[in-house]
């Protein structure tokens, strides 16, 4: 495959997934993921094909937001009866909650205020964390990988590491 994927599974905030650091903002992140899952009817852990390649839920929502087409993400089950203003506000709040930079995320107190008080102006969201993106590998790496796989012996594949780091395979007992 000619792609390198970067993403986090589920509801884990980037600071918890990478550094083991947990805070109230980690809960805010998880809440934001849940909001976006409810609005889209899609799971955050799934990968979705789009005209731009492959992306995760947050990348999909973020792209639609940036293209000023946020209502296109709506789950077909709620498309018939919804308040456009409320859905747009929930998408906006969801994106604020999943921002990559911890300090840019609102507190849960602020999220509740945003949900209860429609006159509060919401800040502009920044790029979400673990926004799944695809990076083309350079041609030399692709050729090396194909060569490595074709020289496999005994029918077992030789694992190739792009960054020359070792890989670990875990097997249950």
């Amino acid at each position: 495959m000619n792609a390198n994927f970067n993403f986090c599974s589920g509801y884990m905030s980037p600071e918890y997934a990478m550094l083991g650091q947990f805070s109230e903002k980690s809960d805010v992140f998880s809440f934001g993921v849940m909001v976006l899952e409810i609005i889209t009817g899609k799971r955050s852990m799934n990968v979705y094909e789009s005209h731009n390649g492959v992306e995760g839920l947050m990348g999909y929502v973020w792209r639609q937001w940036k293209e000023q087409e946020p209502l296109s993400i709506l789950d077909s089950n709620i498309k018939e009866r919804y308040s456009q203003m409320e859905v747009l506000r929930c998408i906006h709040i969801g994106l604020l909650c999943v921002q990559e930079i911890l300090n840019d995320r609102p507190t849960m107190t602020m999220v509740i205020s945003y949900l209860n008080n429609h006159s509060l102006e919401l800040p502009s969201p920044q790029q979400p964390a673990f926004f799944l993106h695809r990076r083309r590998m350079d041609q030399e790496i692709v050729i090396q990988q194909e060569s490595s796989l074709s020289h496999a012996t005994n029918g077992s594949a030789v694992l190739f590491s792009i960054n020359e780091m070792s890989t670990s395979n875990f097997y249950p007992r």
Side-chain angles (χ1 to χ4, degrees), residues 144-153 156-171:
Q144 286 176 351
Q145 184 176 27
E146 288 170 354
S147 171
S148 172
L149 288 173
S150 68
H151 287 75
T153 57
S156 64
V158 175
L159 296 177
F160 180 82
S161 174
I162 293 171
N163 62 2
E164 298 179 7
M165 300 293 290
S166 64
T167 59
S168 299
N169 294 320
F170 298 97
Y171 299 98

Side-chain angles (χ1 to χ4, degrees), residues 11-27 29-30 100 102-103 105 130:
Y11 306 95
M12 277 192 271
S13 64
E15 63 277 3
Y16 180 70
M18 291 195 270
L19 305 171
Q21 297 174 344
F22 188 80
S23 70
E24 177 193 6
K25 299 287 183 105
S26 302
D27 288 339
F29 183 89
S30 299
E100 185 167 19
L102 173 99
N103 291 329
R105 290 181 220 146
F130 298 112

Side-chain angles (χ1 to χ4, degrees), residues 59-151:
Y60 167 70
V61 173
W62 179 248
R63 182 173 44 82
Q64 298 302 357
W65 181 264
K66 294 301 281 180
E67 291 175 3
Q68 298 181 351
E69 297 177 4
L71 293 176
S72 66
I73 69 168
L74 277 181
D75 181 357
S76 59
N77 292 321
I78 60 174
K79 270 196 170 168
E80 298 304 316
R81 38 180 217 277
Y82 68 94
S83 163
Q84 183 174 341
M85 185 182 81
E86 285 183 20
V87 168
L88 286 172
R89 192 160 184 89
C90 286
I91 294 169
H92 195 152
I93 291 168
L95 285 170
L96 288 172
C97 292
V98 298
Q99 293 177 103
E100 185 167 19
I101 299 172
L102 173 99
N103 291 329
D104 287 346
R105 290 181 220 146
T107 62
M108 276 312 290
T109 304
M110 285 303 302
V111 169
I112 291 166
S113 295
Y114 292 155
L115 291 169
N116 288 330
N117 187 349
H118 290 278
S119 63
L120 282 178
E121 190 170 328
L122 301 177
S124 294
Q126 301 302 309
Q127 179 174 314
F130 298 112
F131 152 37
L132 181 68
H133 61 283
R134 186 161 92 162
R135 211 172 47 212
R136 295 271 178 210
M137 295 188 325
D138 87 78
Q139 193 60 32
E140 182 180 314
I141 292 172
V142 172
I143 291 168
Q144 286 176 351
Q145 184 176 27
E146 288 170 354
S147 171
S148 172
L149 288 173
S150 68
H151 287 75

